[in-house]
Amino acid sequence: MTTTVVPFMLKGDSLVAFVDDKMPLINRGELTRTDMIKDAGYMRDNGTAMYTQFYTELLNAKGVTPVTDTDTMEQEYDDLSEDEKDLYDKITDVLGEKWTHEETIEFMDELEDIGIYSASEFEDAYEYTHDSYSSYAEKEFSEYWCIDVLDAQIPECVLSAVDWQDVWDHNLRYDFASIETVNGTFFFRNN
């Protein structure tokens, strides 16, 4: 099919009217969307269609503001209660900004499951982070808790024989909750 050369890019109401006029042809298979875009003047010097510019201008002409991921994130954040915003900000402060918005929201859901709803509850309950998702996280937490926090004086000859997973399984798991994420395993004191 031969395309009409347009000396300029159609904009605003002219673009909307042009698209409305061409849609029946597209629906009947008599015109391709690419040809319609080129006919509206959205074509590079090498003859390829400028899809993004065309559809952006068409949305603007129709008064539609495209929603971006950033807009969605900001809206979700704005929709949070003040306590939830404080918790969100505390997670970002304590655990780092490497988390995506989605990961932070999912983590907040996990925290809610263990009874943590606010930044102050988070601060009171947070104990330890194991840097990666690993089957060793509970063992390492148990050793950390007993040696570093409780300052247990265990002789070297006994220390190497301690089964730290058993310490978790039979003792500490009743006092602590763990949340496993792609960003690590996090341990919180039960309230």
Side-chain angles (χ1 to χ4, degrees), residues 111-190:
L111 289 171
E112 190 174 301
D113 290 344
I114 62 171
I116 298 174
Y117 300 93
S118 68
S120 62
E121 290 171 339
F122 177 89
E123 216 170 331
D124 291 343
Y126 176 70
E127 287 295 339
Y128 182 79
T129 300
H130 184 271
D131 289 335
S132 64
Y133 171 78
S134 157
S135 60
Y136 299 107
E138 293 167 348
K139 294 177 189 178
E140 289 185 21
F141 172 73
S142 297
E143 184 174 4
Y144 156 80
W145 185 256
C146 292
I147 303 295
D148 295 348
V149 176
L150 298 179
D151 198 26
Q153 301 300 315
I154 303 172
E156 284 296 318
C157 61
V158 175
L159 186 62
S160 62
V162 174
D163 184 338
W164 294 111
Q165 186 63 50
D166 274 352
V167 173
W168 172 261
D169 291 340
H170 299 291
N171 293 298
L172 297 180
R173 74 181 179 113
Y174 300 108
D175 297 324
F176 296 92
S178 64
I179 298 175
E180 296 175 352
T181 73
V182 295
N183 294 313
T185 303
F186 303 88
F187 291 86
F188 296 89
R189 183 185 302 271
N190 289 334

Side-chain angles (χ1 to χ4, degrees), residues 57-75:
E57 181 57 36
L58 183 60
L59 288 171
N60 289 335
K62 290 184 174 190
V64 176
T65 304
V67 177
T68 65
D69 287 344
T70 302
D71 294 336
T72 302
M73 290 179 350
E74 288 173 2
Q75 185 60 49

Side-chain angles (χ1 to χ4, degrees), residues 80-92 94-95 107-126 188-189 191:
L80 296 173
S81 70
E82 287 305 312
D83 281 345
E84 290 170 330
K85 286 179 185 174
D86 290 343
L87 178 57
Y88 186 104
D89 295 341
K90 178 57 78 176
I91 291 168
T92 302
V94 172
L95 304 179
F107 191 68
M108 289 173 64
D109 290 340
E110 294 281 341
L111 289 171
E112 190 174 301
D113 290 344
I114 62 171
I116 298 174
Y117 300 93
S118 68
S120 62
E121 290 171 339
F122 177 89
E123 216 170 331
D124 291 343
Y126 176 70
F188 296 89
R189 183 185 302 271
N191 295 333

